Amino acid sequence: MAARRLVAGNWKMFKTADAAVAFVDAFLPLLPMIPENIDIVLCPPFTALDAVARRLRGHDRVALGAQNMHWESSGAFTGEIAPPMLTDLGVRYVILGHSERRQYFGETDEAVCKKTIAALTHGLTPIVAVGETLAERDAGLAHERVVSQTRAALHGLAPDALAHVVLAYEPVWAIGTGRNCEALDADAIMQAIRTSMHGLTNVPILYGGSVKPENVPLYVAQPNIDGALVGGASLDPEGFANLLRAACEGRCDAV
């Protein structure tokens, strides 16, 4: 039995609704060339969620994800998006705690925890991102920082709830820079994440940070890396399909 992989494409603040639909229309015909053991998630901007959801109907191989959400189910929070608004559109996954949210919008560990709990409450699978800055890494604090973020994001969750969480290790210094963490180094940090709390043994952990078709096999070959959270390399349909095929290399023949 082939080992399963989860690969999520985070489109960030790219693509209008029309551009997103054009991507999906070009991408869906490529699915037969992508191994069945790859679980695929597309995370467009909020403004394109509905259009993409409509195009994905009847295509169960591709799940819809959002890039963020509020922890409240409704209320006077101008500009925010509530969990029920996402599920109403057919969203199944939501990225939480991305470093860009933390860096540019002041998102705290406490907020990520609230959002994680809310996502699970509303039947969404949270993809909880953690990662160290270059300064933290140079100071030898990478393991300490990501373990702290993991424990804070999942605080109060029972092991059975943790089974419905996905984690993503994204070294901040590697996001969008063209630099990537060495596979063995990433695996060591992700092992620290996996062993940081009871209940994370079988939780999928993704690597993110300048992931490309050329390097993704090196990551998924590692014992603690179960897939990838992909940024820029997910914006082109053919390029993303090539990356998904490459993600089958490594441990894909493992039982």
Side-chain angles (χ1 to χ4, degrees):
M1 179 179 178
R4 296 210 66 80
R5 294 283 176 269
L6 173 63
V7 178
N10 176 16
W11 291 355
K12 306 190 180 186
M13 200 173 70
F14 292 98
K15 297 192 186 296
T16 63
D18 285 346
V21 166
F23 175 100
V24 175
D25 287 346
F27 179 72
L28 291 178
L30 304 176
L31 285 178
M33 296 181 286
I34 299 169
E36 290 284 343
N37 64 304
I38 304 291
D39 295 324
I40 307 164
V41 183
L42 295 180
C43 302
F46 287 130
T47 53
L49 281 173
D50 182 57
V52 172
R54 293 174 187 273
R55 276 299 202 273
L56 291 181
R57 285 176 185 165
H59 298 277
D60 294 338
R61 287 204 59 195
V62 185
L64 186 61
Q67 299 177 19
N68 185 33
M69 66 170 211
H70 199 275
W71 58 81
E72 293 288 353
S73 58
S74 63
F77 301 100
T78 299
E80 292 290 336
I81 304 293
M85 297 174 181
L86 298 180
T87 57
D88 183 56
L89 293 176
V91 172
R92 291 167 51 193
Y93 290 82
V94 59
I95 301 170
L96 301 175
H98 194 280
S99 65
E100 290 159 1
R101 298 295 312 172
R102 297 175 188 263
Q103 179 180 357
Y104 301 128
F105 303 101
E107 195 157 287
T108 65
D109 287 339
E110 180 183 10
V112 176
C113 181
K114 289 181 179 180
K115 292 181 179 187
T116 301
I117 293 170
L120 293 170
T121 299
H122 290 275
L124 292 161
T125 299
I127 302 176
V128 181
V130 299
E132 83 282 5
T133 65
L134 184 59
E136 289 166 338
R137 181 180 182 81
D138 289 344
L141 300 174
H143 286 229
E144 179 181 334
R145 179 59 177 142
V146 297
V147 166
S148 173
Q149 287 180 325
T150 300
R151 289 173 175 168
L154 306 179
H155 177 72
L157 292 175
D160 60 339
L162 293 177
H164 301 283
V165 171
V166 174
L167 293 169
Y169 168 57
E170 291 198 307
V172 178
W173 50 272
I175 298 174
T177 64
R179 299 177 57 187
N180 53 290
C181 185
E182 294 294 331
L184 289 175
D185 191 7
D187 185 70
I189 293 180
M190 292 159 88
Q191 182 181 33
I193 293 171
R194 194 177 296 284
T195 58
S196 64
M197 295 177 65
H198 177 61
L200 297 184
T201 303
N202 297 314
V203 166
I205 306 181
L206 315 181
Y207 174 76
S210 297
V211 180
K212 301 177 179 66
E214 297 79 15
N215 61 32
V216 71
L218 300 175
Y219 291 104
V220 299
Q222 305 306 314
N224 291 289
I225 303 179
D226 303 300
L229 180 57
V230 185
S234 70
L235 294 174
D236 173 74
E238 287 195 17
F240 191 45
N242 288 336
L243 187 149
L244 292 165
R245 286 195 292 269
C248 186
E249 300 177 23
R251 288 183 294 148
C252 276
D253 295 328
V255 174

